[in-house]
Amino acid sequence: MRNVLVLSMLILTLSGCKSLVEKGHNLFQAGMYTQSAEYYEQALQEDPHDIEAQKGLLQARNKILDKGLIDVRMLRLGGNPTGAAIKLESLLRNQIAWQIEPFGPIANTQTEEIDYATLWLKQRAAQLGQSKFPDQFRYFEHRYAFLISNAQLHSLFTTYRAALQNKAHAQCTRMSTKTTNERFYLRQFTEKYCMAWDLPQELAVITQDPTRYSSIKLTPRFRVNLHRTSRQANSLKTASSELKQIFRESLWYNPVGKNTFKLKFDANLEHTRKAKLVNRHTHFTLVEEKQSKANPSDTLDVEVKKAFRYPVTEFTEQFSVNAKYEGIIAQQQIEFSIDDSQTHYTQSHQADFPQLNIKPIKATFLDVDSKLDKQLTTLQQDFKSQLERVWIDTHCNGLIGAQYGEYILRCGKIAPDNQFVNSWFQKQFGLNYQEMATLYAL
């Protein structure tokens, strides 16, 4: 709690600083090197030639590396060589990205930790080289690519290639025998897998997928009543195009899809504005001097009632939009509707009488464009969510165990953390879905 309070106070202090560089300096002095680097980077985005920001960023990044290497050492000494290797790998990647060459004590510490990591890498490689899953070794090389390069272990690791290749060949052959005309995702995965292991396969050409759609037929029906020609008149047409695009970007669309997805889009849009000119008046009292009737040579102060009249234009706006889409995909009905309406009153006039607190007024009309865009965005977001929901219902909840991984791969596209997806990948390849996706762009 105390740390949070200190951080909050520091942020409040920084908010009053004059420049991004000064904020970076203050954070650096507080030992918050990552945050200070972010401010220096922002300063350099505004002025790439800012010398103070350049120096500050270099110092902050060196401190990040120094602190990171301390973390590496603590992880190693704490009996967590895997965590130490992961942290060291990230530091090496940052050095390349930042174009920093460590020097002095930092360089010495890094060299020492790379030596310790090298021993662990060799041991881990020997273990994975004996595994029945060749992809574990492949992912190991990917995950620690910079560390392996620094440790110059590539030539040593080539000794495992022949055995790994044989295991991958068996896996590739097994997958190839399972790729039928209806297993499109499995076929794509098999092609990538075998090619990555230099084992290209002659697989049957995909012709048609009866579970997906190669096109969308959208039937719009709009009823529009607007008080004037404006951007609103085209908003519904734009929404129609965006619904089509959302579908084409979904997993349901594929050029080899057999079907055409039919979607109805009905919308009523009304925005009227009526103006009425009215005369208003405000009574007030003035004190005027008038001649006394009793004594014409004298004057008297007399209160005189008067009225200030001025024209006012009153506006009444009526806005309403209701829209609905509906269609059937994978034998499931999807639909959603929006409904919004509002009556708005405003007025304007040019009268100016400060003594009566009457000043000119400009009418404030509804921001119909924003209201309409907000509603249509909600409809589009729901359309995307519904497409994803039906995909999950179809490929994750019902048939996930069918067709030797076809539905596992389909489900993984949208639910990579699904328990069944990951258990299948662990059983087949010794890695989870995300790790395999990293290797083979699933």
Side-chain angles (χ1 to χ4, degrees):
M1 183 66 184
R2 184 177 179 275
N3 291 338
V4 173
L5 184 60
V6 171
L7 180 59
S8 300
M9 293 175 64
L10 180 59
I11 291 173
L12 287 173
T13 302
L14 290 173
S15 64
C17 293
K18 294 181 180 179
S19 70
L20 294 169
V21 173
E22 188 173 350
K23 293 176 182 178
H25 289 342
N26 289 339
L27 286 165
F28 183 90
Q29 293 300 323
M32 302 171 67
Y33 306 122
T34 300
Q35 294 87 338
S36 69
E38 291 173 356
Y39 276 103
Y40 293 134
E41 288 170 354
Q42 291 179 39
L44 289 172
Q45 287 177 0
E46 295 184 3
D47 181 7
H49 304 292
D50 189 319
I51 301 299
E52 283 296 311
Q54 292 175 358
K55 290 171 58 179
L57 182 59
L58 180 60
Q59 290 177 333
R61 285 176 170 174
N62 273 298
K63 283 291 186 180
I64 291 171
L65 293 177
D66 189 21
K67 185 176 182 299
L69 287 169
I70 294 174
D71 294 338
V72 170
R73 176 161 293 181
M74 295 304 294
L75 286 166
R76 175 176 60 79
L77 294 175
N80 185 2
T82 302
I86 292 173
K87 180 67 177 180
L88 187 54
E89 173 74 13
S90 69
L91 293 176
L92 293 174
R93 290 175 184 267
N94 284 338
Q95 286 179 29
I96 298 299
W98 297 341
Q99 298 181 346
I100 289 180
E101 186 70 31
F103 62 93
I106 297 178
N108 293 335
T109 303
Q110 179 169 296
T111 299
E112 185 177 349
E113 292 305 322
I114 288 178
D115 289 342
Y116 280 109
T118 300
L119 295 175
W120 178 82
L121 289 169
K122 291 178 179 178
Q123 294 171 357
R124 187 61 180 152
Q127 293 171 352
L128 295 177
Q130 301 300 316
S131 171
K132 67 176 182 178
F133 300 117
D135 296 289
Q136 289 183 334
F137 196 97
R138 191 182 196 91
Y139 185 73
F140 167 75
E141 289 185 297
H142 168 81
R143 189 172 194 179
Y144 303 105
F146 284 75
L147 193 50
I148 291 169
S149 178
N150 271 267
Q152 300 180 354
L153 294 175
H154 287 297
S155 58
L156 174 64
F157 287 179
T158 57
T159 59
Y160 300 103
R161 291 277 179 257
L164 293 171
Q165 193 81 3
N166 290 336
K167 295 171 186 176
H169 186 275
Q171 180 71 274
C172 175
T173 303
R174 184 163 55 252
M175 291 167 61
S176 298
T177 60
K178 303 293 183 179
T179 56
T180 64
N181 289 337
E182 295 181 358
R183 296 174 181 171
F184 298 95
Y185 279 77
L186 183 61
R187 182 189 186 280
Q188 291 175 343
F189 175 41
T190 301
E191 287 178 330
K192 292 180 179 179
Y193 186 90
C194 297
M195 188 67 68
W197 285 100
D198 297 323
L199 300 166
Q201 299 292 302
E202 293 292 335
L203 302 177
V205 177
I206 292 178
T207 55
Q208 209 170 52
D209 184 352
T211 68
R212 286 185 287 177
Y213 302 79
S214 60
S215 61
I216 175 174
K217 179 181 179 182
L218 191 145
T219 306
R221 186 173 59 183
F222 303 148
R223 290 172 290 279
V224 178
N225 179 23
L226 301 175
H227 78 279
R228 60 182 175 83
T229 301
S230 69
R231 191 180 71 84
Q232 304 156 26
N234 295 319
S235 293
L236 296 177
K237 294 180 181 178
T238 301
S240 297
S241 299
E242 290 176 350
L243 287 174
K244 290 181 179 179
Q245 187 61 29
I246 289 171
F247 181 78
R248 293 190 184 102
E249 292 174 354
S250 76
L251 293 172
W252 289 105
Y253 173 79
N254 194 279
V256 300
K258 179 181 180 180
N259 303 309
T260 296
F261 174 58
K262 298 178 182 179
L263 184 70
K264 294 180 180 179
F265 181 32
D266 295 345
N268 297 324
L269 173 61
E270 181 176 359
H271 179 217
T272 60
R273 183 184 298 166
K274 295 181 180 179
K276 182 174 68 172
L277 186 64
V278 298
N279 290 313
R280 292 188 183 167
H281 60 272
T282 300
H283 293 282
F284 62 99
T285 302
L286 288 179
V287 177
E288 296 182 351
E289 287 186 350
K290 289 195 174 183
Q291 191 177 46
S292 172
K293 292 181 179 180
N295 188 355
S297 60
D298 294 335
T299 58
L300 300 174
D301 290 337
V302 179
E303 291 185 348
V304 179
K305 291 185 177 181
K306 291 192 175 185
F308 177 69
R309 293 179 172 81
Y310 56 99
V312 175
T313 304
E314 296 180 338
F315 298 93
T316 301
E317 283 186 289
Q318 295 283 350
F319 168 77
S320 67
V321 57
N322 55 76
K324 178 181 180 180
Y325 74 77
E326 56 181 337
I328 297 176
I329 190 165
Q331 300 180 343
Q332 289 195 43
Q333 177 80 18
I334 59 171
E335 60 181 350
F336 183 74
S337 62
I338 55 171
D339 192 356
D340 186 17
S341 63
Q342 184 177 350
T343 301
H344 177 69
Y345 301 99
T346 187
Q347 61 183 8
S348 68
H349 66 75
Q350 298 301 317
D352 191 4
F353 200 147
Q355 294 89 336
L356 296 178
N357 200 28
I358 297 176
K359 299 178 181 179
I361 296 177
K362 186 177 181 179
T364 55
F365 297 113
L366 286 173
D367 186 358
V368 176
D369 289 342
S370 295
K371 289 175 67 67
L372 181 58
D373 287 346
K374 181 179 179 180
Q375 293 295 333
L376 293 176
T377 297
T378 299
L379 185 139
Q380 292 158 13
Q381 290 172 343
D382 184 86
F383 180 58
K384 181 180 179 181
S385 297
Q386 293 258 30
L387 292 175
E388 292 176 353
R389 176 189 61 79
V390 178
W391 184 272
I392 290 174
D393 287 347
T394 304
H395 301 306
C396 292
N397 299 338
L399 301 171
I400 192 166
Q403 296 195 17
Y404 188 72
E406 173 66 16
Y407 288 90
I408 290 288
L409 289 162
R410 294 190 181 216
C411 179
K413 279 283 189 179
I414 205 166
D417 296 325
N418 183 282
Q419 177 184 351
F420 292 102
V421 169
N422 283 294
S423 63
W424 185 84
F425 272 96
Q426 287 285 357
K427 183 179 179 181
Q428 299 294 326
F429 306 98
L431 299 174
N432 63 36
Y433 177 85
Q434 293 284 25
E435 292 166 341
M436 289 294 288
T438 300
L439 292 178
Y440 301 106
L442 299 181

